[in-house]
Amino acid sequence: LQQFLFKKPNEPPLVFHWFPLIGSTITYGMDPPRFFKENREKYGDCFTFILLGKKTTVYVGPKGNDFILNGKIRDVNAEEIYTVLTTPVFGKDVVYDCPNSKLMEQKKFMKIALTTEAFRQYVPIISDEVTSYLKRTPDFKGKSGIVDIPPKMAQITIFTASHALQGKEIRDKFDETLADLYHDLDMGFSPINFMLHWAPLPWNNRRDYAQRTVAKIYMDTIKERRARGETGAQDIMWHLMNSTYKGDVPVPDHEIAHMMIALLMAGQHSSSSTSSWIMLRLASRPDIMEDLYNEQVKNLGADLPPLTYEDLAKLPLHAAIVKETLRLHAPIHSIMRAVKTPMPVPGTKYVIPTDHVLLAAPGVSATDESYFPQPDLWEPHRWEKDSPLAPTIVRNVPSEEDDEKIDYGYGLVSKGANSPYLPFGAGRHRCIGEQFANVQLQTILAIIVRNFKFRNVDGSDKVIGTDYASLFSRPLEPAKIYWERREGCQL
Ligand code: HEM
């Protein structure tokens, strides 16, 4: 009955619900991946559900990923959805508070700063930050212990990212004021703020104060750096200070400041959640932690010298750990777009009308048996060529070279998003932080592996559940692991 009452002809099937406005908000919000999987079985790859009163159309699978993420700019729009949440946190005139063409230029500036030369400087910076953190943190003192790992990984992520991307000066401020201010900024990202972003609630007031204060800290730092006549720095702030928009227009200081906030927030949640999952997965599979240790000994030498950027290429299992963890635990489970013109779905009778929101969920195909044998098994070795669990197809083209590329204004990206594995998104909004995240996560992983052995506190191979209550999914807390120093621990 509902189908006839609420669904127009040519619209995808509507997920059954009892209450008109609430719709499926609660079942979706409790466990989005499960919601997608169950409804896909009932309705197929493309279906609509009610999210906070809004008709939201999900299209899963490689074709759905492509349809949404590579949607034309006249058809789909990201800023209309995200701006209420992001603008009060990042600040004005950047990311989703400006036309898409400006975001593309901003992404180009940020991406240019993420070069091999910069990464070469970042690996020692990240290694030193991790080592110094592990040395000074009471929870890691002694021969062995039990630690709630996500808060520790959140700190390691912010110290490593802020030092590498924003320079030592800003990093040092995280020991003083910045950590608390960023915490308050973060409150702006709770999903409830999709509706209450404007409300004069205590956490929104703290968010607004934190935004102004953090932006001022960055702007003051920019002025000081300029006055000093600094040269040769590689961090992104420095690069933005020397970038110009089309027409030779320098980037205003407040935009640099707001981009710095956006960059750190974009990377912080995803990288910190991913590194926590990596540690928790290793605790459930100590054998893989040994494989990693042996990979370092074999390929870098038994004395495990200080890590360099070049070393990372010699550690394919370390890279596979990140890949496999993102396959099962991609922190962004739902990617949304407003629909601007009615969009016919190729090969079907459906046309998505402009009062719908489109939702891409690449995590669904990343855990689909048709592409990944034993999809729920975390098995980093599956990314080795001859593994019986190797993905059947990851991109529907024979090789990287045949993969057609397109430039949306921030460098070349794959033209087709027709892939079941897209933890970094695709198209004009694709992540620019992928390589940085890989460098950061692999370095953190390598340093932890050479110093510790992990296992679950009860010795089992269990893995904790996922918390979907914030915008980025992460492990439920507390998530405790047992650690033990290795012989030859370098701390
Ligand atoms: C966009 C994932 C780390 C900066 C995205 C998107 C995804 C993603 C899925 C697409 C969002 C959309 O289409 O709406 C991840 C994951 C990360 C990660 C899984 C780590 C494991 C980072 C880092 C940075 C970063 C470290 C910064 C250095 C950005 C930026 C965008 C983006 C600027 C562009 C947003 C847009 O164009 O709308 N990321 N990201 N990300 N990410 Fe990341």
Side-chain angles (χ1 to χ4, degrees), residues 114-378:
L114 298 168
T115 56
T116 306
E117 202 190 325
F119 292 146
R120 225 170 250 134
Q121 293 196 4
Y122 294 168
V123 172
I125 291 177
I126 296 170
S127 307
D128 288 351
E129 281 288 351
V130 181
T131 308
S132 130
Y133 182 84
L134 296 171
K135 274 185 183 164
R136 70 174 186 267
T137 302
D139 282 337
F140 290 108
K141 292 252 191 299
K143 276 198 178 138
S144 64
I146 292 174
V147 62
D148 179 21
I149 202 77
K152 306 293 169 209
M153 297 320 295
Q155 286 185 306
I156 288 181
T157 309
I158 201 97
F159 293 140
T160 52
S162 60
H163 194 161
L165 298 174
Q166 313 202 328
K168 182 158 183 345
E169 221 162 330
I170 294 291
R171 153 66 185 95
D172 288 343
K173 295 202 167 80
F174 272 92
D175 290 330
E176 304 148 21
T177 46
L178 273 177
D180 290 341
L181 289 166
Y182 263 99
H183 177 268
D184 287 349
L185 268 178
D186 215 38
M187 302 303 281
F189 269 172
S190 43
I192 186 89
N193 264 14
F194 268 119
M195 301 182 83
L196 295 179
H197 52 91
W198 52 271
L201 295 159
W203 68 84
N204 282 345
N205 294 341
R206 280 207 299 278
R207 170 199 66 189
D208 296 345
Y209 172 79
Q211 199 286 328
R212 286 192 302 273
T213 316
V214 176
K216 183 161 184 322
I217 291 174
Y218 285 122
M219 284 191 279
D220 290 346
T221 309
I222 294 167
K223 284 197 192 81
E224 283 160 26
R225 294 182 80 169
R226 220 176 254 132
R228 276 207 303 271
E230 199 179 320
T231 52
Q234 290 282 350
D235 59 89
I236 294 196
M237 178 190 272
W238 182 249
H239 183 76
L240 289 172
M241 286 165 63
N242 294 289
S243 299
T244 50
Y245 286 118
K246 280 183 196 117
D248 229 13
V249 181
V251 185
D253 287 2
H254 78 277
E255 291 187 16
I256 301 179
H258 298 170
M259 273 188 260
M260 301 308 292
I261 299 177
L263 262 184
L264 212 60
M265 303 280 291
Q268 174 63 22
H269 291 281
S270 2
S271 293
S272 138
S273 154
T274 308
S275 63
S276 298
W277 282 120
I278 290 175
M279 301 309 148
L280 290 163
R281 285 291 182 175
L282 290 179
S284 74
R285 288 286 304 273
D287 58 313
I288 301 273
M289 202 155 182
E290 288 319 289
D291 292 349
L292 288 169
Y293 184 72
N294 293 333
E295 182 176 69
Q296 287 195 46
V297 170
K298 182 164 165 242
N299 299 346
L300 308 181
D303 56 337
L304 299 178
L307 211 60
T308 66
Y309 176 65
E310 276 67 27
D311 288 342
L312 297 183
K314 299 178 197 155
L315 303 173
L317 186 60
H318 286 65
I321 296 276
V322 176
K323 241 179 152 169
E324 180 68 348
T325 304
L326 282 171
R327 187 180 70 77
L328 287 180
H329 301 290
I332 302 181
H333 52 73
S334 301
I335 300 179
M336 312 233 196
R337 302 286 185 261
V339 180
K340 301 309 291 173
T341 44
M343 291 173 70
V345 180
T348 73
K349 60 181 192 330
Y350 303 146
V351 179
I352 316 298
T354 54
D355 61 348
H356 282 212
V357 164
L358 273 171
L359 189 158
V364 173
S365 44
T367 50
D368 185 336
E369 203 170 10
S370 9
Y371 308 105
F372 297 93
Q374 296 189 41
D376 299 328
L377 182 71
W378 181 82

Side-chain angles (χ1 to χ4, degrees), residues 82 96 107 263 266-267 270 274 332 335 337 423-425 429 431-433:
Y82 296 139
Y96 304 122
K107 285 176 79 171
L263 262 184
S270 2
T274 308
I332 302 181
I335 300 179
R337 302 286 185 261
F424 293 97
H429 290 284
C431 186
I432 52 154

